[in-house]
Amino acid sequence: MHDKARILEVLRRNEAIRAKFFEVESEILTILKFEELFARLVCLIRAKFEVPHVWVTLFADGELARLLDGLDIRGAQGCPTVLAERGAVLPLLGGQNAPVLHNHSLERFAPLMPSPAPPGLGSLAVAPLTLDGRLVGTLNQADPSPKRFRPDMDATLLAQLAMRVSLCLSNVTAHEKLARLALCDPLTGLLNRRAMEERLEAEFLRARRYGAVLSVAFIDMDDFKGVNDTLGHDAGDAMLAFFAARLHKMARKIDSCARYAGDEFVVILPSTDAAQARAFMDRVEQFFRYSPVPGIDRLVRFSAGVASSADPGADSPARLLKLADEDLFARKAARPGRPARAAAPGGA
């Protein structure tokens, strides 16, 4: 009789756990944005299973890390995402695409843990996440109790949850790629002109609302036509892509980099005055002074104009951009032996 009661109790407990997993799966399957997916997933697991430490580890060299670059994926409950090196994490999974549970020697899992790692951990559950069949990271849960995640426990439901999360990642990735096609320049990956103008307007209004200063840098390549004419358009494309990648890397997370048209670029710099914006462009120029385009025997040369919302006449986003363009025109014209490009008619 006692055995029957014990079996029934185990069945009821397993059914309750299964129901919680189903609730988590049902909620996350409708999410179409990375920020919301990770924050909501972590929050749900913590709440429904009373797991104190939950986070997602993504491989730094994977497609997801590239897609997430520039997004705020911290969430409301602390940082649920960690970037890690693939080579450091794969050995921890034991060469299998299935969850692993451990309750001893957890320090060896440091490569996939947040920094600083949660103190006093007694056990850990690591479930692999895939995107289109390729391993891209792990879903991790940790508890102070060594009994919470034991190696001898059945991890079937955890594997099912990881599979559902992987499906969500596929859905969100497809949705985000479509969204980016509408906002980003296909060659450089930077914002396109339309998206830049929308971002500039939003930042201009924000700066006015909070009494902050906003600066814009307008960039134009020097003799880019000569690169296309002598080395070919593939070389020109490589130069644009190289310049855009470095510009994006040197900018802050709050800055916005855009390809304005052809060989022209714009950088929107919130909470930055004109002197700080000029200093930033000087650092960019310093880098390219000694860094040729990979595979091309040519250095990137460019000119940059800067304007600030504190400048006289900068009373609208379009006018701010035009002031930066006029500064660019003046700087090009002042260089000996360098023909100045025509100023943009009517401004931005």
Side-chain angles (χ1 to χ4, degrees):
M1 190 68 179
H2 291 296
D3 290 341
K4 184 177 180 180
R6 190 180 305 112
I7 292 173
L8 289 175
E9 176 60 28
V10 170
L11 290 175
R12 280 194 294 268
R13 185 166 59 249
N14 289 344
E15 186 59 33
I17 294 174
R18 188 175 292 106
K20 291 179 179 180
F21 272 108
F22 179 77
E23 291 170 3
V24 173
E25 294 168 6
S26 298
E27 286 208 36
I28 64 174
L29 281 173
T30 62
I31 296 174
L32 292 176
K33 288 186 176 294
F34 282 120
E35 302 100 314
E36 185 181 354
L37 173 62
F38 291 123
R40 188 63 183 145
L41 175 64
V42 168
C43 187
L44 284 169
I45 294 177
R46 284 175 176 169
K48 292 186 178 297
F49 297 98
E50 299 180 350
V51 179
H53 306 291
V54 186
W55 71 96
V56 174
T57 299
L58 299 176
F59 295 145
D61 64 346
E63 182 180 7
L64 280 181
R66 290 191 294 272
L67 287 171
L68 289 167
D69 186 29
L71 294 179
D72 182 6
I73 52 175
R74 292 172 298 175
Q77 303 294 324
C79 181
T81 58
V82 174
L83 291 182
E85 296 300 322
R86 181 185 300 270
V89 175
L90 288 180
L92 302 175
L93 300 177
Q96 58 182 348
N97 196 20
V100 293
L101 283 67
H102 288 274
N103 57 1
H104 60 87
S105 303
L106 299 184
E107 62 276 1
R108 59 197 172 103
F109 288 89
L112 58 74
M113 289 191 180
S115 181
L121 296 184
S123 58
L124 176 70
V126 180
L129 298 176
T130 61
L131 179 62
D132 300 328
R134 177 173 170 77
L135 194 64
V136 294
T138 59
L139 171 61
N140 315 290
Q141 303 177 57
D143 194 275
S145 172
K147 297 181 180 180
R148 184 63 183 268
F149 303 112
R150 304 189 314 273
D152 60 342
M153 293 177 65
D154 183 7
T156 301
L157 291 177
L158 182 57
Q160 290 179 0
L161 176 62
M163 183 179 67
R164 297 296 192 278
V165 175
S166 297
L167 177 61
C168 287
L169 289 176
S170 181
N171 292 340
V172 174
T173 298
H175 183 269
E176 291 281 2
K177 283 182 176 179
L178 286 175
R180 291 194 179 201
L181 284 175
L183 297 175
C184 295
D185 170 63
L187 174 63
T188 64
L190 302 183
L191 294 178
N192 58 31
R193 179 170 175 170
R194 180 176 65 84
M196 180 278 296
E197 290 172 344
E198 293 177 356
R199 184 70 56 83
L200 178 58
E201 182 175 5
E203 291 294 348
F204 189 88
L205 293 175
R206 184 179 293 111
R208 276 197 163 183
R209 184 180 303 119
Y210 295 106
V213 64
L214 170 70
S215 289
V216 168
F218 205 119
I219 304 165
D220 182 47
M221 296 285 189
D222 294 338
D223 194 30
F224 181 72
K225 183 178 183 301
V227 175
N228 281 333
D229 291 345
T230 58
L231 301 179
H233 288 278
D234 288 344
D237 287 349
M239 177 174 284
L240 291 174
F242 178 61
F243 177 79
R246 174 51 57 171
L247 183 68
H248 176 70
K249 187 171 184 179
M250 295 185 72
R252 303 166 301 176
K253 291 291 186 182
I254 64 171
D255 300 333
S256 300
C257 301
R259 185 183 181 190
Y260 187 75
D263 61 338
E264 296 177 328
F265 296 83
V266 169
V267 184
I268 302 171
L269 300 148
S271 302
T272 304
D273 61 28
Q276 292 169 327
R278 175 54 58 189
F280 167 69
M281 291 313 308
D282 289 344
R283 291 194 300 272
V284 174
E285 185 177 13
Q286 182 72 13
F287 171 83
F288 285 107
R289 188 174 299 167
Y290 305 103
S291 303
V293 181
I296 302 175
D297 187 22
R298 189 68 67 96
L299 291 168
V300 178
R301 291 290 182 257
F302 66 88
S303 301
V306 166
S308 161
S309 58
D311 293 344
D315 53 4
S316 70
R319 182 59 184 162
L320 175 61
L321 191 62
K322 188 174 190 303
L323 289 174
D325 183 61
E326 290 173 350
D327 184 50
L328 167 62
F329 179 78
R331 288 175 181 274
K332 278 215 168 191
R335 291 187 179 184
R338 293 196 180 190
R341 70 151 172 65

